Amino acid sequence: MADMERKDQEDIQGEQERVFVRERVLNRLENRRRWVRRGAGLVISAVVFGVVSCFVFVWARPHMEKWFEAEEVPETAIHLPRDEEETKTPETETPTESEQLPSETEPPETQSAEDIKEVVESAVESYRWNITDYENLYQALGEVSARVNKGIVTVTTRTPTTDLFDNPIQTEGKASGVIWNITSYEMLILTSYRAQDNETTVEVTFCNGTKAAASVKSADGKTGIAIVSVPLASIDDETKDRVETVSLGNSLEAKLGQPVILAGSPKDFVGSIAYGMISYVSYGVQKEDMDIRMIYTDIPTSSQATGFVINTKGQIIGMITADTTGINTGAVGISDLKSSIERLSNGSVLAYMGIIGQDVTEEISESRQIPIGVYVSEAVLEGPAYNAGLQSGDVLVALDDTEILSVGMIETFLEGKLPEEVVIAHIRRVGRDGYTEMEFQVTLGSR
């Protein structure tokens, strides 16, 4: 028995010795090589990880900036001063005391104004105009147009939809726009609302061909305008240095015969221009909750034209609308749109009442025996005023506690309101016994 146990122990010891013999003892050189290989693998892995991280960061940065910047609130609200018509003309202005003082350049007192006028007219009539004068004129207009075109952009919208056979397709719309303001974090573009209907993606192409993702900040379907926002962080420095803003002028000073430039896409191509003059100005054109001034030119455009009427100072004085293109292109006076542009640029949603009306002045009131206020020519079908019970022939005299004497006062009142707010419309409605006072609760909608 003892012999068997001793034999088993010898067998186990022999097996251990055989296993020990099969193990390999590494020398120092081989051990060092193994650690070098491991270190090299870690370095390569770190480099690959860094490269992949860089690509992911570059790809994700514009999207992340867009998401976070969409929630930012302007540090200071954008404000546009309202325009006023000139109350003086050169013929009626009274010279100041300094202007009345004689100077060395003034004509002698013995020379009358009639004599000076005759000298000037004679000089103009005797001057022979040549081709150089013609070229200089168009060169000056070309310089203004070139400066304006630095602020003209193409606004492209793409909307996924389906065809008659339910196959997925993508519709694309294009319109010209203009950079009217640049804040500390975004570029604001005024453009036609026609191209912004049901959009899913918006892209802006600048004058140098650079493209940038954009979004519709706010839009007004009644005046046909929209404000498109492009984050400054998504625009390269070369483009920032290249583009220029185009200022908004005073359309209340527009006069017949005034030379103007059409910029944007008057000839179907964004960046095209056309020269002409103002052929007609229509005052007090009735629109929903406002009246506007329409500026007509002698410049023909296509039915798809979009763009702006520019004066010789390079300022916007009108915006071409979708329903006024053709032989006599019309544009909405920019002064009448400044209130909407201001609110849309601040991201506001405009309140809507749905009244097309005409001012009832004291003279009209006395001659027609109609109460002073705003005569409702039309309560727009399915609009807030129509749904509340207002109808054609009513005279709106107050909204809440605010007396209403003109259509402009309706627009001013709505500037301080938001959609879904309830206002009290005080009206006078004619009947058998004359005008009767009535009140209606109007729940405002959005434009």
Side-chain angles (χ1 to χ4, degrees):
M1 186 69 178
D3 294 337
M4 292 181 64
E5 290 179 356
R6 186 171 55 254
K7 185 177 181 180
D8 291 338
Q9 290 179 356
E10 291 176 355
D11 292 338
I12 292 173
Q13 184 177 359
E15 183 64 26
Q16 290 177 348
E17 291 177 353
R18 286 194 295 272
V19 172
F20 175 80
V21 172
R22 287 199 301 267
E23 291 179 352
R24 182 183 178 187
V25 179
L26 297 176
N27 57 33
R28 292 183 178 180
L29 180 60
E30 291 176 332
N31 191 41
R32 185 181 302 169
R33 288 176 179 175
R34 183 178 63 182
W35 283 107
V36 169
R37 285 196 297 270
R38 289 184 179 180
L42 289 174
V43 171
I44 294 173
S45 300
V47 172
V48 173
F49 179 80
V51 172
V52 173
S53 300
C54 289
F55 280 109
V56 172
F57 176 79
V58 171
W59 175 83
R61 179 180 177 181
H63 302 282
M64 297 298 293
E65 288 176 342
K66 181 178 179 181
W67 293 338
F68 285 106
E69 288 181 4
E71 298 177 358
E72 290 185 2
V73 179
E75 297 177 359
T76 56
I78 295 171
H79 175 67
L80 270 174
R82 303 299 181 261
D83 297 327
E84 295 182 0
E85 289 190 79
E86 293 181 343
T87 56
K88 293 182 179 181
T89 61
E91 292 76 16
T92 60
E93 287 181 353
T94 302
T96 62
E97 182 178 352
S98 61
E99 292 174 339
Q100 293 175 350
L101 295 175
S103 65
E104 296 180 358
T105 58
E106 288 184 352
E109 294 181 357
T110 57
Q111 190 173 10
S112 64
E114 289 77 10
D115 295 335
I116 298 174
K117 183 178 180 181
E118 290 179 3
V119 171
V120 173
E121 289 179 350
S122 175
V124 172
E125 291 175 359
S126 61
Y127 181 79
R128 295 180 61 85
W129 298 90
N130 53 49
I131 193 66
T132 303
D133 298 317
Y134 184 81
E135 291 175 347
N136 290 338
L137 171 64
Y138 274 88
Q139 181 180 352
L141 291 173
E143 291 173 356
V144 175
S145 302
R147 188 170 66 252
V148 169
N149 270 341
K150 292 182 179 180
I152 296 296
V153 301
T154 302
V155 180
T156 305
T157 57
R158 297 183 179 91
T159 306
T161 183
T162 56
D163 59 14
L164 295 176
F165 303 98
D166 291 332
N167 297 316
I169 59 174
Q170 182 173 254
T171 60
E172 185 176 276
K174 290 182 180 293
S176 58
V178 65
I179 304 170
W180 86 269
N181 196 2
I182 300 177
T183 69
S184 59
Y185 66 95
E186 68 179 342
M187 188 174 289
L188 296 174
I189 296 169
L190 173 63
T191 187
S192 170
Y193 180 73
R194 175 175 60 181
Q196 316 307 324
D197 190 23
N198 297 325
E199 74 278 5
T200 53
T201 59
V202 183
E203 183 181 69
V204 170
T205 305
F206 297 99
C207 60
N208 62 348
T210 302
K211 302 179 186 295
S215 60
V216 177
K217 191 164 189 177
S218 195
D220 179 4
K222 305 306 177 183
T223 56
I225 65 175
I227 296 295
V228 169
S229 172
V230 181
L232 281 184
S234 64
I235 305 174
D236 59 81
D237 292 337
E238 190 274 335
T239 301
K240 292 178 184 177
D241 295 336
R242 181 77 177 273
V243 302
E244 292 185 11
T245 59
V246 183
S247 60
L248 307 181
N250 186 354
S251 61
L252 303 182
E253 299 177 355
K255 296 178 176 61
L256 296 180
Q258 177 180 341
V260 291
I261 303 168
L262 292 195
S265 55
K267 301 299 182 182
D268 289 338
F269 301 99
V270 176
S272 59
I273 59 172
Y275 302 138
M277 69 175 184
I278 296 176
S279 56
Y280 183 69
V281 179
S282 181
Y283 304 88
V285 178
Q286 298 178 9
K287 293 289 185 179
E288 297 168 52
D289 300 336
M290 63 188 304
D291 56 19
I292 60 174
R293 181 174 304 198
M294 292 295 299
I295 300 173
Y296 293 92
T297 72
D298 63 346
I299 308 172
T301 55
S302 68
S303 60
Q304 300 299 317
T306 60
F308 310 89
V309 179
I310 310 293
N311 61 19
T312 53
K313 299 177 183 178
Q315 299 171 329
I316 299 172
I317 60 172
M319 185 168 179
I320 299 173
T321 61
D323 55 350
T324 57
T325 55
I327 297 177
N328 296 311
T329 302
V332 180
I334 202 69
S335 296
D336 299 314
L337 296 177
K338 285 188 176 180
S339 172
S340 298
I341 294 173
E342 175 186 301
R343 288 180 286 163
L344 295 176
S345 297
N346 288 313
S348 301
V349 180
L350 310 187
Y352 170 59
M353 189 171 179
I355 288 179
I356 297 177
Q358 183 175 352
D359 299 351
V360 180
T361 61
E362 292 184 5
E363 293 77 11
I364 295 176
S365 177
E366 292 177 359
S367 62
R368 302 291 183 88
Q369 299 301 308
I370 301 175
I372 296 175
V374 173
Y375 180 84
V376 180
S377 304
E378 179 185 354
V380 180
L381 185 64
E382 299 302 328
Y386 176 90
N387 293 334
L390 276 73
Q391 59 189 32
S392 301
D394 291 343
V395 179
L396 179 66
V397 296
L399 288 170
D400 289 341
D401 297 327
T402 303
E403 185 180 20
I404 300 297
L405 302 177
S406 65
V407 176
M409 295 183 71
I410 297 177
E411 183 180 5
T412 302
F413 175 84
L414 293 177
E415 286 182 10
K417 300 297 179 181
L418 295 173
E420 304 303 325
E421 284 193 46
V422 178
V423 300
I424 305 299
H426 303 268
I427 64 109
R428 303 287 188 270
R429 178 171 292 175
V430 68
R432 293 182 179 180
D433 300 326
Y435 282 90
T436 304
E437 297 183 7
M438 301 181 69
E439 294 181 359
F440 295 91
Q441 288 189 343
V442 180
T443 302
L444 301 176
S446 57
R447 296 181 66 91

